[in-house]
Each structure stands twice: as C-alpha cells, then as structure tokens.
Amino acid sequence: MSTLIELTAFRHQPVWEMQAALYLLMIQAGAWAMLSGLAAQATGAERQRGLGAWGLLAATGLGLSAPLNLIAEMLGPHKFYTLIPRFNLSSPLSWGVAAISLFVLAGALGCVGLRRPLPVPRKAVAGLGLLAALSVLAYTWFEIARAAGVPLWADPYASAVLLASALPCGLGLALWLDMAHGGAAAQSLMARLVAALGALGAGGTLAVWGLLGSWPGTPGWPWGSALLAGSALALLLAGALFLDRPKSLSGSLLWACLLALAGGLGARLGILLLGQSAALGRAQGEPHMLGHADILGVLATPALFVALMFIASIIMGRPAKKEPAAPEVSAASAAPPAQPEAPADAQTAHGDPA
Amino acid sequence: MSIDRRTVLKGLGAGAALTVFASGYKPTLKAIIDPPKQTVASGPSLAPEATVDKATGEVTFNRQQYLAGSICLGCTSICGVRVRVDNESGSVLRVSGNPYHPLAAQPPAPYEASLADTVRALSGHQGSGLARRATACGRGNAVLDKLKDPYRVLTPLKRVGPRGSGKWEPISLERLVEEISTGGDLFGEGQVEGLAALLDGKPIDPASPELGTRANQLACIFGYANGRMQFFQRFAAGAFGTINIANHQGNCGLTMRAGYAAMLGDFQEYPHLKPDYANCTFYLSVGSAPANAGNPFMYQAAHAARARAEGGPRLVVVDPVLTNSDNACCGAKTEWVPVRPGTDGALVMGMIRRILETRGYQAGHLACAGPLAAKNAGEAAWTNAAHLVVADPAAKDFGQFLRARELSPEAAENALLARDVATGDLVAHDQAQGPCSIFFSGSVTTPARTVAVKTALQLLLEEAQSKTLAEYSKACGVPQADIVRLADEFASNGRTAVADCHGGTMHAGGFYTAYAVALLNALAGNLNRKGGTGIGGGKFKDFGPGPRYNLADFPKKAKPGGVRLSRQGFPYEKTSEFKRLVESGAKPYPARAPWYPFSNSVQSEYLPSALSAYPYPLKAMLFWASNPVYGQAGLMNTSAEQLKDPKRIPLMVCVDAFMTETAALCDYVLPDVALYEGFGCATPWAGPLSKVSSVAWPCVDSPVARTPEGDPVCMESFLIALAKRLGLPGFGPEAVADAQGGKHPLERPEDWYHRAVANMAFDAKPVADATQEDMEASGVSKLAESLARVLTPEEAAKAASVYCRGGRFEPVEKGWQGELLAARWEKPVQIWNENVARAINSMTGKRLKGTAAWIEPAFCEGTPVRAVYPEEKWPFLVVSTKSQLMSAGAVGSKRLHAIRPESEVAVCEADAARLGLRTGDKVRLETPDGSVEARLTVRLGVMEGVVAVEHGYGHWALGAKEMSFGAKTLPASPLRGAGAASNLLGLKDPFRKGFSTLGDIAVGANARNALPARIVKL
C-alpha cells in the first residue's frame, strides 16, 4: 500500500478518472459527430456536405481511439480479449462492446462510402450509423446512470450533463474539421446553434446541479468542486463562442471547440471524482491506479485520433476512384457553398481545391 | 503521383501524433502483446514458500522466506495464523491458517509433525492438498495492511493543543513516564496529579472507606484477552493496586457472558458455553451470526458452512437480520427466524414454556440435585432445578435457597434442600442419591418455621407461564406456531440440541434473554455431553504458577480492594452513602446511578461514571488496546465535550498501535506493537474442546520507537518503565520466581513471554525440542539469542518448539471421553440463581428475578424504552450487525476497503416502499440521542420495522481526521470515515443522574441494539 496514495487520493484524482473521462468524452463526442454527419447528409444541402463527411470521419476516428482508454485502464490489458466473447445480457459492458463495434463498423462503412460505391444502400449504412450512435449514447447513459453504488452518478443530471457536453465537442470537431478543409457548414447558424445549446445546457446544468452538490465539507471539496466550476464556465464560454460566426480557423470556432472539449473532460473528471469520493467505491486509492499516471499515457488516445484525422485528410485530399453519387438536394438548399470569408486555399470536404 | 507540401505536413503531423500514441500506449500494447507469464489479480504471484516433490514428498523450503506461527488480531477470535515473511525485506507476504491450530485447520496437523510435514500435507503429495488446508478468514488474510498503516502511532506523543484537537508532539518514553508519574502543570491548564501521588495509601473518601484507597482513582481499561492482558493486569492490579481494571466485555458481549455466568453460577470468571459443533444435531443461534462473526469465528463458521452444505446440525438463526448463516439454497438445513430487536427473550421464554408444559425437558437430568445423584444416574452434570427456594415474600430469605442446616445442624454449610422423589422427605442436595422433585410448590416445616417454598424449576415454569404463547408471539413478532415448532424440534433432538447467543442480546433486556437461552441447554441436559455444550478444553499453563516459573505471584503483590468505579460486584445497600441516607431518614432509592451487585467487567460504566464522578472521581485513566469511545453506544454522541474536559478526568493515557477515537481524546499516547510484531500467549474462546494455547512472537520488526534495550516502545516496555519509576513490585530485577525459588528479572517483554512459553512447553508431558530445520523454516532461529538469554538451554529448546508451531495444541480427539466432553463444568447448573435473586435494583429498591425471564428493554428503573420513545414517533428499531470482513479495528486495510468500502444500512422492502426509499438514497438515521447519515440499502432479509447498521465504519479518528505530529501533518482520509457509526445512535438513560449510556437493567451491559429510531430522507 502506498501511503502517499491514500493520503492524497482526494487531492489528486486517481488516473482511473482521467482514462474513464477521456473514454466517455471521446465515445460520446464520436456518437454526436456521427449524428451530426448523418443529419448533415440528410439535409442534402451542399453547404452541409463537408460536415456530413467529417462528421463520419471524426466519429470513426473517435470510435477507434476511445475504447483504447478502457483497455489501458484495465490492470491486465491482455484480459481484454476475454471480455469480448463473453456477452452478458445484464452487463452494460457487454452492450457497450456491441454498440461500439457496431459504431465502428457503421463509421468505417460510411467513410469508405465517401470514396467509393458501397455494395449496400447508403440509407442502410446511414440507418446503421444512426442506430449505432444512439446505442452508444444510450449505453453510456445507462452505464453511469445505473451505477447504484455511486449516487452522484446514478442521478439523471449527471448523465444528462455528460451527454449534453459531448454534443458541442462532437459537432464542434466536425465543424472545425470541415472548415479546415474548406467547408462552410460552420457558417450555418443552425449547426452552431445546436452546438451552442448543447454547451450552454451542459454548462448551465453543471453550474447549478454540480455546484449545489459540492460545497465545503463534501468529500470532493475543494478540488473536485473547482473542477466542476471551471468546467461549467468553459462550457458556457464555448456556448457563447459557438454563436459567433467563425471567420478563421484559429478564431471563435477553434476556441469554442477547445473550451467545449476542456469543459466536457473537466465535467467528466469532476463527476467521476466527486462520485467516487462520496461513495468511496471503485477501490479508490488502490495502488495500481498510479501505474498509468504519466502524461504520455493520457495523451496517447487523443494523439491517435489526431493521427487518424491527418491520415483521413490525406486520403480525402486524393482523388476518389469514383465519386460517390451526389446526394439528392433540393433547389432551395443548393446554394453556392463558397463564402466570402473562406480562406483562399480552403478545400472542400473532398479535398479538392475550392 | 505528386505529393504536395500540404500532404507532407499532414503526414508529418500524423507521424508525430502516432509517435505520441505509441509512446503513451506502449505499456498497454506490451501487456497485450506479451502478457505476464504468471499473473494473479494483483500482479505476478509470489515464489512459493516451499516446493514438494509430488512423487517422493520431499520438501525443499524457500530460504528467502519463513513461515512464522502467530496469532491473528483481526478480531477477537484470536485464531492461529501462519505468517509468511520475506527474509530479506522482513515484510509480511501472505497470511494463512496455522496448520497445527484447531481454529484454522480441521483436522489440524499432529503436534509432533515437523513444519516440513505440514507443508507436505498441504501439497498434492498423496492427494492430501485441500483436505488438510489451514485457512485464515478474509479479514485475517487482509488485515496485514495495518502493519504499514500510515496513521500508526510510532513514538510517544503528548498533546499540544486542547484535548481532542489532534495536535501532538513526539516526546521520549522517559519524559512521558516522568510527567505522568510526577504530574504538575503538564498542559498549561492547571495542576495534574501524577500517578505517584495516588500510591499514598490514603482513602478516596474517609467518610466512605469502602471505596478503597486512592490507587483506585487510576482506572485501567483494556480490550480483550489477546495474549498480553496478563501483563497489563500484573501492572494494574498486582503492582499499582487499583481495583479498577476492566476489559471490553461491557461494550461487547457482556449480556451473553452474564447469562451463562448465571446459569453456571460463576460471576467472577464468567465461564461460557459453546456447542460441540461437530456432534450437535440442532443448533439454535440467538442474536448471533455464526457465519458472519462470533467467537471463535472461523471454527464455528466452518461448522456452520458444513451445516449449510452437508447438513450437519440443523442450524436455526434467530435474528432481526438475515446473515450468511442461511440462504435459500440450504433448504431445510438452515433456517432464519426473524425476530423483533430486543425481544428474543420472549421467543425463548415461549419455547421454555412449551418445553416445560410438554415435558420436552430431560427430567432425569434435572432431578439430579447433587453430585451423588448425578453420578448414580450417569449424568454429566447436575442442576438446582429441584432445590427449594423460599417463596414467602415476607421471609427474610425470600428468593434464597432453603439451607439444609435449618433442618439439621450437622448439614454442610452450603447444603441446600430438595425433596427426594422416592421418600418424599427433604434431603440435603449433597446427600441426595436419587431423583428429587423438580416441580413443587408448597410449604416446608423446619424446627424454626413453616415456610412457603417452590423448586427452582417450578419458579422457572411460573415465570414462563406469566405470559401466554400468544403474548410472547406478539412481543417478538415470531408466529406462535413457529415458537411451538422450534420448541418441539429443540426438545425432539434431546441431548444434542444446543442453544447459544451473543452480541444480539446486547440490549437493555439482554441479561435475562441470555439467561433464558442458556437455560434451554439446561432443559436439554446437554452440558458436558458429546453433541451438547461445554466450557472448552482450556489451555496449557502459561502465566499462572507453572512448572518452570511463577508468573502470577510476586513479593509485595498488591491486593486491590474497594468499590469499582463501575459499581459492579458491590451492593448499593452496603455503601456509606446508602447508610447515611437511611440514617438521615431520606429515601435511599433511587441511587444516583445503578449498582450492579453481581455483575463484572462493566466497562460501559467507566467513562460515564468518571465523567459523573460517581461513586468517586477518577484522577487518571490508562487505556490499552481498547477503544470505548468508539465502541460504546451512546457515549460519544452524548458526552463528547465532557470527555474533552480535563477537569472531569485530569489525566488520560493510551497505549495503542493506532490513533483510535479513544487515543485521540487522551493526553498522552504511546505506540504499541501490532499484529505479528509482538509476543503473546492466548487461548481461544470455548469452542475447541481440547487444550489450545496459541503463541505469537515478533516475527516482523515493529516500526515503532525503541527503548535503550532495543525493545519496541509498547505496552510492556512502557509499563516496565512506569513500574520502575513508581517503585512498584513485580517488575525489575528478581521479579519472577522459578519453580526452584530462583529469582529472575522482568526488565524486557521477552523476560515475561519466554517464561510463559517455557511453562507451556513443560506443562504435563514436555514437548520435544525444536529441530534446527523447524527453527530455520519458522524463523524462530531469530529468537535463539533471546531465548538463550532468558531461559535455560533445556527450556529454550522446548520453548522454541512451541514458538515454531505457533503454540501448543492437544490432539482434538482428546476433547471427548466416550459420550462426555473431557473438560467438564463441575458446579451445579443454576435454574434459579440466588445471587441474582438477592440483588436489588438500586434505582427502585426492588429485587431482581432469580431465573430467566422476558424483560422488555427498559431504562434502569424499569420503564420500557418504548414507553418513553413510542413507535408512533420512532417507528424503527436499530440493530448493529457484523460484517465477516470489516471490524472496528480493521479500518484502514486497503484490501478490505476495496471489497466493502462502507457499511450497509439496510431496511426491508416494505418499509422502504412505505417511506418512498430505494437503494442508494441518502438518509439520516435518527434516534432520540443521536443521528448518522448513511446510504440506504433496501433488501430482503431484514425484519420489518428494523434498521440494520453494519458495525465498524464511520470512524472519526484512525485517520479519518487530520492529525499533526510536531511539524508533520497527516491529512484526513475520508476512506477511514466512510459509512455510518452505529454507536453514534446510542441512547442515554433519562432516569439516571449524571452521564450515562443505556445499559442492561441487571448487569449494566451497553445497549447497542433495539434502539428506537426514525429515517429521514435527505
């Protein structure tokens, strides 16, 4: 037993929270990115076309990267193999594995569909993606909300904050990636409004509910409480920035995304930390917790996601063997994609010069 | 294909990101690709302590480790354990059961077997393996964490802030001893009288000489018989001369002890019975959880497991809460009988009534009024069932046995009268040859008078018939048909039906409940019989006058006298206070606080009495390995501020390995050895039927400060230093006499324990000498120098053999002699106990009942608790339950916290639905004098109207609160404070003056069960 760990367990959060928080943020943001992409595709609007593509790409990247946090969190990662074949109807974990597998499959199919024709109807792939994304959101909701031993998590507000805060992260990432590749979806007030509402809703809920439950004397005070307050503030700021029409890649959208990501991660860390602190569950302070606490270990899965997005960008920048069929668009939505504010070297979602 | 600059940059970005990923994820990837070859849940497993050639059985010990026999102090069962220690680091690797020890192995290894033999028996050689395994329980396995508890007390400490502030400064042992000896203005709060001043021989109060001398103004409070208490008692009673020395019983299981003491007629030694678990056929367990807790835990839990799995004795557990003792899979082999808290006495008295009315008792046994009659009838015990009791309320000796001398001056002084069945004549019990009448109500004429008498059993029958079965059923919540069924089943099992009870009877009517349970055994006639109940096999000689050394007596040994602060064992009517009141014409009743004329070990009265300064004020308290501030229900929640007031108890000193709640309120705290760090010679509770003597030795180094001699600063080294400073007898040079009259020093702990172990080794037939291989394998070779210094070579070789095996153990089969138990209780079974009947309630002036009875939990003057705190306002009753993992002292074990981080506070589904509660809800549990916040569990297996609070959690010390030691600060660990402390719900007694906690009306045991309560959802 490490004396240091026990004495500091409530002052420096164990890494279990960090990797679990990262996992929850990435997989839920991925689900929202998928839903954003599918919604953008469904509109058929040319301006949303890039969002449709980058939503799928970001979702797939996050879907591939996020579960690696869970594997790393396990004391014996080699035991991960044993989890998969053992499906347990009553286990959220089993449903989670199924949902994520479906999610990655749907995302991968969708991504392939961006570059070449698929042997299955696009609507079927979209339907699969929709089901997978909703399954992921539902599974993560239940995983937290059904943690009866940790009352803070079992509270529906906790799950609501988690889900809502992931919306601006997933949608914001897709919007920013689209914008980085010359897309104009971020110019759409509707898309930014959805992201802003998610951020403001999550930030507001967190500020009211989270802080009400963490005052002096509660186990998480003061660091967990400060974390929640900071996260709420970040989300509220992100919400405000989403409302601002982006003018450059390093402008308001980027800051909105970063603040949303920071707020989302902080909210998860705070909720997990306070929940565990209050419930003293999950063997808080166990020695193995410290074994994963290096910065590189924490950065690994976000780095993988970044790498995947670079690779996607390279691939998407190359000409497709055969262009996929153009989405059906209505005359009203077939507005010119280019915006006056778009950078001169911006590219379309397909990587082609604007 | 052309690659533009942008693509190159993207590629570089991807490469950099992948590098970060690979670096960060490398350990995980490595573990996935190349998993550890040999893993257990917590990583690579240990190298084995020995290897055994499966074919030849040859044992090769791993010389990097040794297997020390020791005593587990994870709870009070004191099981034998085998501690596996790393030779190089000196740290404990694993703890398992001691294969020689009957509590750890069934059957245990033969005592003659070498350590290699025991290792071989645990191997696959000749297929022994699991069948010969020796186990420690879950707690015993995990409690080793406590050795490295960051909150351990490592050096003598003196408070530097107000009492209870958590601010300490380290001081030397010498300075501490000097300060508490001489006193003075020790804390800048005024003069404190030192211990030396209490040895002046002056009376506490010249107007009340019966109180004794000022030495009694030091109270010495300790925990339990953990193998070291005799040393503490030697100092407190034998050397210092205080009568105020008490163990933890008053806060633990005193009602059970007192109930058996009443049955067995010995309130001094407090013997108790345990079933012959291996051979009984029906085991009624009242207010105890044989598979969760109790003593000896592993022994009875193993038998309970056998009962559940294979159908040994049919096990019926009567308790408000379903424990591990029963589950649906066991079918009819086990049964849970839910009972309303505090009313188990009603159930048992209902059973007694049914058994008596249907003649389900062993009439032949009960009719044996004396030893001759019992011998002639082939009985293993005799009872006073047929003895005649004066039944005339106007008679001076009302409630007392009719003495044979009243009829015949030649009769023996203590001979009592009974009616011979054959002749119908009165006969002295010691002359009775045949059966005597067990039911009789009439009058007897002696030369002096004609007086109404009844037999003891007649009085029990009338007491049982004072209520109908329907009334008993209504009181306890057990259907009448079930009471009848249980009674009939108990009776139908004859001599192999047994009943036992324990902590569940710790309520304000507990003594009479426990007496009733004990008397079920009397009706079954099972005492001293195979398959019945027994007092246990006892132990080999150790601390008493032994074959080699006399550790009990020494020149100038003090003879403590006077009245105990707890007012136990002394009738109020003999006090000067009473006499003064009578002489002045004032009403002597009620007294300021209850007196307990026949009770013993009433620790629960010490702190309230000290705070109240009644019957006299204390000057100092010395605690050792005891934590009444946490362990006494109702104390901290009603008297916290007063405990911190130095004016009430001027000097409080604690010796403990950990900063307990009690230590945290003391002025000085001394460290102590923990678990396997110290010596000890202990004996289990009565469960084992053959002789069992466990020993422990310092098989791991203690991290505490050292004396100049190199010994750990611990209870023994502190008391030696204190005794020498105070000039007390029994310590120092020439303090211990050997069998030949030689004198030996008592300067170090080993001077005491080695000699006790030598006594053990030479008791009866001496044990064989230790072999070099056993000494090496057990690590006892480390003791060789110390043994050689203290003992003769002959003694050292045999003592080493005992240390190697972790004690001395008689073969288990010696526990029985044919159909009888080898160790037998020879005194009569007391159906009627005249010591109890003679006692007067000092709050009312009324006599107590002399036999088992159903007494509703009540305040000290008899008002039922429910009359003051009605069900309408307090709809629940709180009971404390025990976990098989966590105990109050095990808090801080990481492994145990990982499994069970907080206590269960449980209600049944019906109550939860009524209040709109569900599992996980935060609630405040309130009693009239206390409250705790808790998270609720809603589950089956809790009786309606009951809140079950798991004991051992919710600490406010032991690390749960920030502490500073000089410049060093240890922050609080909420882990230690998690859960609810059931004792903060305890009640005070509103019918008493001064400070109090609710106690049993007859023996003063602390009432922690059947407390009125309500639940408030937060």
Side-chain angles (χ1 to χ4, degrees):
Chain A
M1 182 189 69
S2 162
T3 302
L4 181 68
I5 292 168
E6 174 165 7
L7 298 183
T8 57
F10 296 84
R11 301 185 179 230
H12 304 286
Q13 66 278 13
V15 170
W16 189 86
E17 277 84 5
M18 177 58 85
Q19 279 170 321
L22 263 179
Y23 164 71
L24 280 174
L25 179 66
M26 292 173 73
I27 199 68
Q28 288 184 325
W32 282 118
M34 173 83 83
L35 291 175
S36 306
L38 293 173
Q41 286 180 2
T43 64
E46 181 58 29
R47 194 163 68 165
Q48 303 294 341
R49 196 171 174 185
L51 178 60
W54 281 107
L56 283 180
L57 289 164
T60 310
L62 288 166
L64 285 168
S65 311
L68 299 183
N69 288 297
L70 287 187
I71 299 172
E73 189 271 333
M74 294 174 71
L75 184 60
H78 59 284
K79 290 187 285 187
F80 174 70
Y81 298 125
T82 64
L83 291 175
I84 297 172
R86 296 179 186 172
F87 191 86
N88 182 350
L89 277 175
S90 61
S91 165
L93 186 64
S94 289
W95 284 105
V97 170
I100 293 168
S101 303
L102 191 67
F103 183 78
V104 173
L105 176 68
L109 281 172
C111 292
V112 171
L114 295 173
R115 304 287 297 165
R116 61 184 66 194
L118 290 172
V120 290
R122 287 181 175 281
K123 283 189 177 172
V125 175
L128 192 64
L130 179 67
L131 177 67
L134 292 175
S135 299
V136 164
L137 291 177
Y139 133 72
T140 50
W141 172 292
F142 282 114
E143 187 176 46
I144 299 299
R146 287 176 60 85
V150 186
L152 188 77
W153 301 357
D155 195 305
Y157 291 108
S159 287
V161 166
L162 298 186
L163 249 62
S165 63
L167 169 59
C169 300
L171 177 53
L173 270 176
L175 286 172
W176 187 83
L177 284 166
D178 172 51
M179 189 173 166
H181 292 84
Q187 305 305 321
S188 158
L189 178 62
M190 181 59 75
R192 287 185 285 113
L193 191 60
V194 171
L197 284 175
L200 291 171
T205 308
L206 195 58
V208 176
W209 163 78
L211 294 182
L212 280 180
S214 59
W215 52 73
T218 57
W221 180 264
W223 305 112
S225 307
L227 197 61
L228 285 186
S231 304
L233 187 63
L235 285 165
L236 291 170
L237 279 174
L241 286 171
F242 271 122
L243 293 174
D244 184 35
R245 188 171 179 150
K247 298 180 179 61
S248 71
L249 272 180
S250 57
S252 57
L253 182 60
L254 176 65
W255 286 108
C257 284
L258 290 176
L259 283 168
L261 286 167
L265 187 61
R268 282 156 180 76
L269 273 174
I271 287 170
L272 293 178
L273 174 67
L274 286 179
Q276 288 190 85
S277 299
L280 296 164
R282 293 288 299 193
Q284 180 123 356
E286 278 286 282
H288 74 263
M289 300 294 180
L290 197 62
H292 307 270
D294 59 295
I295 296 294
L296 281 177
V298 173
L299 291 178
T301 51
L304 179 62
F305 169 69
V306 171
L308 290 173
M309 290 303 98
F310 272 123
I311 293 167
S313 180
I314 294 170
I315 294 171
M316 296 300 281
R318 299 170 67 82
K321 284 184 179 176
K322 186 179 178 184
E323 281 295 310
E328 292 177 10
V329 293
S330 66
S333 63
Q339 295 295 315
E341 297 83 0
D345 60 349
Q347 295 179 339
T348 67
H350 305 280
D352 301 325
Chain B
M1 185 178 70
S2 64
I3 299 176
D4 59 13
R5 181 173 59 92
R6 188 181 303 273
T7 305
V8 170
L9 289 175
K10 287 177 185 174
L12 287 173
L18 281 173
T19 304
V20 172
F21 169 70
S23 302
Y25 214 69
K26 186 179 170 186
T28 308
L29 286 172
K30 191 179 172 193
I32 293 172
I33 295 165
D34 183 20
K37 295 280 186 296
Q38 207 176 20
T39 62
V40 291
S42 57
S45 61
L46 296 169
E49 64 270 42
T51 52
V52 181
D53 187 305
K54 196 172 179 181
T56 65
E58 185 183 351
V59 176
T60 307
F61 282 105
N62 177 355
R63 295 300 175 194
Q64 297 302 311
Q65 302 175 15
Y66 58 90
L67 306 171
S70 190
I71 301 172
C72 179
L73 299 176
C75 72
T76 58
S77 285
I78 44 180
C79 298
V81 288
R82 176 171 273 184
V83 184
R84 204 168 141 195
V85 187
D86 184 88
N87 238 327
E88 193 175 331
S89 66
S91 56
V92 178
L93 301 172
R94 292 279 191 276
V95 176
S96 59
N98 179 357
Y100 296 103
H101 203 292
L103 294 191
Q106 283 121 27
Y111 197 71
E112 301 71 32
S114 67
L115 258 70
D117 291 337
T118 65
V119 169
R120 188 180 300 109
L122 294 169
S123 75
H125 174 64
Q126 295 183 338
S128 49
L130 287 177
R132 307 289 301 195
R133 67 191 180 276
T135 54
C137 71
R139 179 167 43 224
N141 272 291
V143 79
L144 65 93
D145 287 345
K146 297 287 286 179
L147 289 172
K148 294 183 179 175
D149 191 319
Y151 294 94
R152 273 194 72 169
V153 177
L154 298 177
T155 186
L157 299 169
K158 177 184 180 181
R159 69 175 168 91
V160 290
R163 193 181 272 177
S165 64
K167 294 181 169 31
W168 305 91
E169 68 168 358
I171 62 171
S172 67
L173 175 64
E174 294 73 21
R175 188 181 144 201
L176 188 152
V177 167
E178 187 58 32
E179 287 189 5
I180 65 172
S181 299
T182 56
D185 187 5
L186 300 174
F187 308 100
E189 299 165 349
Q191 290 295 311
V192 176
E193 207 162 0
L195 297 182
L198 302 181
L199 294 167
D200 58 10
K202 293 179 181 171
I204 295 171
D205 179 1
S208 301
E210 76 279 3
L211 298 180
T213 69
R214 276 160 43 85
N216 288 348
Q217 289 185 293
L218 167 68
C220 297
I221 309 294
F222 69 99
Y224 63 100
N226 62 2
R228 299 163 64 201
M229 74 168 185
Q230 289 85 353
F231 195 97
F232 191 72
Q233 290 170 322
R234 182 183 178 101
F235 171 86
F240 197 91
T242 177
I243 198 169
N244 284 313
I245 175 165
N247 66 23
H248 81 304
Q249 272 174 9
N251 290 324
C252 184
L254 177 60
T255 47
M256 176 276 285
R257 287 283 198 160
Y260 278 123
M263 175 207 180
L264 299 173
D266 188 345
F267 282 104
Q268 289 306 308
E269 295 298 323
Y270 267 24
H272 66 287
L273 301 179
K274 287 287 176 188
D276 173 4
Y277 297 99
N279 296 296
C280 62
T281 57
F282 183 82
Y283 174 15
L284 181 72
S285 173
V286 181
S288 65
N292 273 49
N295 283 309
F297 171 50
M298 282 218 304
Y299 191 76
Q300 65 178 26
H303 285 288
R306 183 172 62 86
R308 293 198 304 270
E310 301 167 11
R314 196 172 106 73
L315 172 59
V316 177
V317 177
V318 179
D319 200 283
V321 184
L322 174 60
T323 63
N324 291 332
S325 304
D326 182 34
N327 62 55
C329 302
C330 302
K333 294 170 193 154
T334 55
E335 180 181 352
W336 170 51
V337 178
V339 67
R340 195 168 291 139
T343 67
D344 24 16
L347 167 68
V348 177
M349 286 306 293
M351 288 178 65
I352 287 176
R353 175 178 177 145
R354 170 74 181 177
I355 289 169
L356 289 174
E357 289 178 343
T358 58
R359 303 192 178 188
Y361 49 84
Q362 296 294 324
H365 166 71
L366 293 169
C368 294
L372 288 175
K375 188 178 177 187
N376 292 340
E379 288 292 334
W382 57 284
T383 79
N384 67 13
H387 294 187
L388 297 173
V389 181
V390 175
D392 179 1
K396 270 189 173 180
D397 53 352
F398 172 61
Q400 307 302 300
F401 289 110
L402 196 60
R403 263 50 187 181
R405 276 197 176 175
E406 194 169 327
L407 201 62
S408 166
E410 293 79 35
E413 185 181 356
N414 294 319
L416 310 176
L417 288 173
R419 287 179 75 250
D420 189 281
V421 169
T423 64
D425 294 336
L426 296 179
V427 59
H429 84 273
D430 55 349
Q431 301 301 315
Q433 300 280 341
C436 293
S437 302
I438 52 177
F439 293 110
F440 177 77
S441 178
S443 60
V444 164
T445 300
T446 68
R449 59 180 172 167
T450 296
V451 63
V453 295
K454 294 175 182 176
T455 61
L457 198 64
Q458 178 72 33
L459 288 166
L460 176 63
L461 173 66
E462 290 178 10
E463 183 60 47
Q465 288 179 329
S466 65
K467 291 186 175 55
T468 65
L469 287 182
E471 287 172 327
Y472 285 128
S473 170
K474 186 181 175 189
C476 67
V478 178
Q480 186 174 333
D482 285 349
I483 297 177
V484 169
R485 178 176 56 80
L486 286 172
D488 291 350
E489 189 175 0
F490 188 87
S492 69
N493 276 271
R495 307 281 186 128
T496 53
V498 296
D500 193 15
C501 63
H502 211 144
T505 60
M506 287 295 281
H507 53 72
F511 163 69
Y512 282 104
T513 298
Y515 193 7
V517 173
L519 287 191
L520 278 176
N521 295 306
L523 298 182
N526 65 26
L527 178 62
N528 299 335
R529 299 188 72 89
K530 186 176 184 179
T533 54
I535 53 167
K539 62 173 183 174
F540 292 93
K541 289 177 179 169
D542 46 27
F543 295 111
R548 308 301 289 189
Y549 298 94
N550 185 346
L551 296 175
D553 303 311
F554 51 88
K556 298 183 184 175
K557 184 179 178 183
K559 292 179 180 171
V563 174
R564 288 182 173 84
L565 187 70
S566 56
R567 304 173 304 281
Q568 70 192 50
F570 200 95
Y572 171 55
E573 292 71 22
K574 285 189 178 176
T575 64
S576 300
E577 175 192 356
F578 179 88
K579 290 169 186 165
R580 281 194 293 270
L581 287 169
V582 172
E583 285 166 7
S584 67
K587 287 183 182 175
Y589 301 108
R592 282 182 58 191
W595 291 65
Y596 306 105
F598 60 87
S599 189
N600 203 345
S601 296
V602 194
Q603 190 194 79
S604 44
E605 284 291 350
Y606 272 90
L607 279 166
S609 302
L611 296 179
S612 306
Y614 180 75
Y616 49 84
L618 274 190
K619 297 293 183 186
M621 291 191 88
L622 171 59
F623 299 93
W624 165 59
S626 182
N627 190 7
V629 173
Y630 177 82
Q632 182 166 341
L635 182 64
M636 191 63 181
N637 50 307
T638 61
S639 311
E641 290 311 309
Q642 290 74 21
L643 287 168
K644 293 175 186 171
D645 182 0
K647 291 188 179 64
R648 293 184 182 273
I649 308 172
L651 182 62
M652 290 170 72
V653 181
C654 185
V655 185
D656 208 302
F658 306 98
M659 188 59 77
T660 63
E661 282 76 6
T662 302
L665 283 177
C666 285
D667 305 308
Y668 296 91
V669 179
L670 290 109
D672 199 9
V673 288
L675 292 170
Y676 327 115
E677 294 170 356
F679 288 102
C681 300
T683 309
W685 294 51
L689 298 169
S690 53
K691 283 184 183 176
V692 177
S693 289
S694 318
V695 301
W697 59 279
C699 60
V700 289
D701 280 341
S702 176
V704 303
R706 298 274 161 174
T707 65
E709 294 78 24
D711 296 317
V713 176
C714 58
M715 180 270 287
E716 290 88 350
S717 53
F718 162 60
L719 293 184
I720 289 170
L722 183 60
K724 288 166 80 172
R725 166 63 185 80
L726 295 173
L728 299 178
F731 296 87
E734 301 191 344
V736 176
D738 64 29
Q740 285 72 43
K743 301 291 186 186
H744 304 274
L746 179 46
E747 307 267 14
R748 303 178 64 180
E750 63 198 36
D751 293 338
W752 174 259
Y753 293 102
H754 285 341
R755 293 190 171 99
V757 174
N759 277 342
M760 200 184 288
F762 279 86
D763 189 17
K765 184 185 174 188
V767 302
D769 291 355
T771 65
Q772 192 58 36
E773 184 190 56
D774 280 356
M775 289 187 67
E776 294 292 335
S778 64
V780 172
S781 52
K782 298 174 190 298
L783 276 184
E785 191 181 321
S786 158
L787 285 166
R789 188 184 72 75
V790 177
L791 302 177
T792 66
E794 182 193 18
E795 291 168 348
K798 296 192 185 303
S801 181
V802 174
Y803 279 125
C804 286
R805 285 157 177 76
R808 187 172 178 191
F809 314 103
E810 198 177 39
V812 169
E813 55 273 17
K814 288 207 169 182
W816 298 275
Q817 289 175 352
E819 288 304 304
L820 302 182
L821 303 183
R824 294 194 279 272
W825 183 254
E826 301 295 347
K827 294 182 187 173
V829 169
Q830 311 274 311
I831 305 292
W832 179 268
N833 189 306
E834 68 175 6
N835 280 332
V836 177
R838 192 183 289 135
I840 294 173
N841 183 332
S842 62
M843 307 305 286
T844 62
K846 294 178 182 172
R847 286 183 185 277
L848 299 180
K849 293 174 186 284
T851 189
W854 152 231
I855 302 284
E856 185 179 349
F859 293 108
C860 60
E861 44 66 85
T863 302
V865 174
R866 269 301 189 199
V868 178
Y869 303 118
E871 197 170 341
E872 296 74 42
K873 199 172 176 188
W874 307 95
F876 287 93
L877 289 171
V878 169
V879 294
S880 69
T881 64
K882 281 196 175 176
S883 158
Q884 72 270 42
L885 286 175
M886 189 64 81
S887 67
V891 165
S893 164
K894 306 299 297 178
R895 290 168 173 84
L896 296 181
H897 278 293
I899 299 169
R900 199 161 180 81
E902 63 178 74
S903 51
E904 181 186 76
V905 175
V907 296
C908 71
E909 289 176 317
D911 286 329
R914 186 165 47 80
L915 297 175
L917 297 169
R918 57 178 189 157
T919 292
D921 281 351
K922 200 84 184 283
V923 297
R924 186 169 57 249
L925 189 53
E926 296 178 345
T927 61
D929 293 317
S931 72
V932 295
E933 289 188 5
R935 194 174 352 277
L936 202 67
T937 298
V938 180
R939 70 167 174 92
L940 298 170
V942 181
M943 196 179 190
E944 195 167 346
V946 172
V947 187
V949 184
E950 191 175 9
H951 176 61
Y953 291 83
H955 283 270
W956 56 93
L958 279 168
K961 187 179 168 190
E962 184 176 283
M963 295 182 293
S964 66
F965 305 94
K968 184 182 172 189
T969 297
L970 282 177
S973 167
L975 193 72
R976 312 299 184 96
S982 58
N983 286 336
L984 293 179
L985 297 167
L987 305 187
K988 57 188 175 190
D989 191 329
F991 293 91
R992 285 174 58 166
K993 291 175 183 168
F995 298 93
S996 67
T997 56
L998 179 62
D1000 177 78
I1001 196 167
V1003 298
N1006 183 231
R1008 62 169 183 264
N1009 294 318
L1011 307 174
R1014 62 186 170 211
I1015 297 174
V1016 179
K1017 186 177 180 180
L1018 297 177

